[in-house]
Amino acid sequence: MKQITSLAEMQALVYPADAKIGFVPTMGYLHEGHLSLVERAKDNCDITVVSIYINPTQFGANEDLSSYPRDLERDLELLDSLGVDYVFIPTNEMMYPQPYLTWVNVDEYSELYCGQSRPGHFRGVATIVFKLLNLVRPHYMFMGEKDFQQLVILQKMLADLNHPCQIISCPIVREEDGLAKSSRNSYLSPEERIVARSLSQTLLQMKAMVAAGYKDATQLIKIAASNLENNGANVDYVELIDSRNLRKQTEIDDHSRMIMAAFVGKTRLIDNMLL
Ligand code: PAF
C-alpha cells in the first residue's frame, strides 16, 4: 500500500489504462463499517484508494473536532491488510489554502434534519468530498447508508454538477445488539452504550409496525420519539422521509425511511432504516 501525503503526488498519480478506480473517503479511526466499504471497493474495482482526513469545515464551533478519535497507525495497518492500493492523507494546509473562499453547497437538502442542528455541516462535507474527488479521480465512491442524508446530498451534488463519479451505497454495519457502527461510539460509557441501542431497536419496532399495517407517519414518528426518550436518549429529530429526495412523508410507501438523531449523554448518534 502506498501512502500519498502531497497534493502534487496525488494529482500526478497515473492509474493503469482502463483500470476501474474505487474510492472510500474516511475521517479515520476505522471500524467494520469502513472496512466493509473498502472490501466492496476491492471486490468491484481494479484500484482502491482510501482517504483519511478529519475535515475541519464539517464540524461546528461547539462540536468534537479536537477530540475526534484518531489512530493513524492502526488505520494504516488495517488498510494494508485489506490490500488497499493507495491511502491519501492530506493536511489542512493542502485542502484549505488560506484565504479559503470556494464552497460547494447543495441548497435545501443541506438545511434539513442534521443540517438544522449542525448548520454548515453539509457545506463542509460537500466541499471536501468534491475536492477529494477532483484529486483522486475515481469512477466509483463507496459510502455507507448510516449517514443517509449525506449520501443523498452527495448524490445530488454529483448529478447537479455533472460529475461522472458514481456513488455505490452500502448497508449499515451494526454491532451485535444493533447499534450502528460509528467512530463516535467510542465516546459512550457502558451505561450510555445500553441507551444507545434504543435507536436501532426503535427502528426495528417501527419496521415491524409497518409490516403489521401501520401507515400513518405522524403516529409512527410520535411512537418512535417517545420510545427513545423513555429509554433515556434525548431526541434531536425523528422523521419519515422519501429515500429518494429526503422529503417528509405523511403516508408509508416503498421508499419510506425513518431517520433519527438523538443525544446519548453528550454523544449525538444517528441511525435510519427503510421501513
Ligand atoms: O462520512 C464521513 O466520514 C465524512 O463525512 C466524509 C465523507 C469522509 C467527508 O469528510
Side-chain angles (χ1 to χ4, degrees), residues 25-27 34 53 55 58 121 125 128-129 143 147 150 154:
T26 81
M27 298 208 298
H34 297 113
Y53 177 60
N55 172 37
Q58 67 188 77
H121 169 68
V125 171
I128 197 63
V129 170
M143 308 209 83
D147 296 285
Q150 165 174 285
L154 293 175

Side-chain angles (χ1 to χ4, degrees), residues 37-46 48 82-85 142:
L37 303 178
V38 172
E39 275 162 1
R40 187 89 185 266
K42 288 278 309 163
D43 287 347
N44 290 282
C45 300
D46 305 306
T48 300
L82 289 183
V84 165
D85 299 282
F142 294 80

Side-chain angles (χ1 to χ4, degrees), residues 212-249:
Y214 277 79
K215 286 250 177 286
D216 182 344
T218 318
Q219 267 311 100
L220 289 164
I221 292 170
K222 232 189 211 165
I223 298 168
S226 51
N227 223 353
L228 292 174
E229 294 281 350
N230 292 341
N231 277 286
N234 190 1
V235 172
D236 181 0
Y237 67 79
V238 177
E239 294 292 354
L240 247 159
I241 60 156
D242 185 321
S243 300
R244 294 166 298 180
N245 52 30
L246 302 176
R247 280 203 199 110
K248 285 186 192 176
Q249 289 188 317

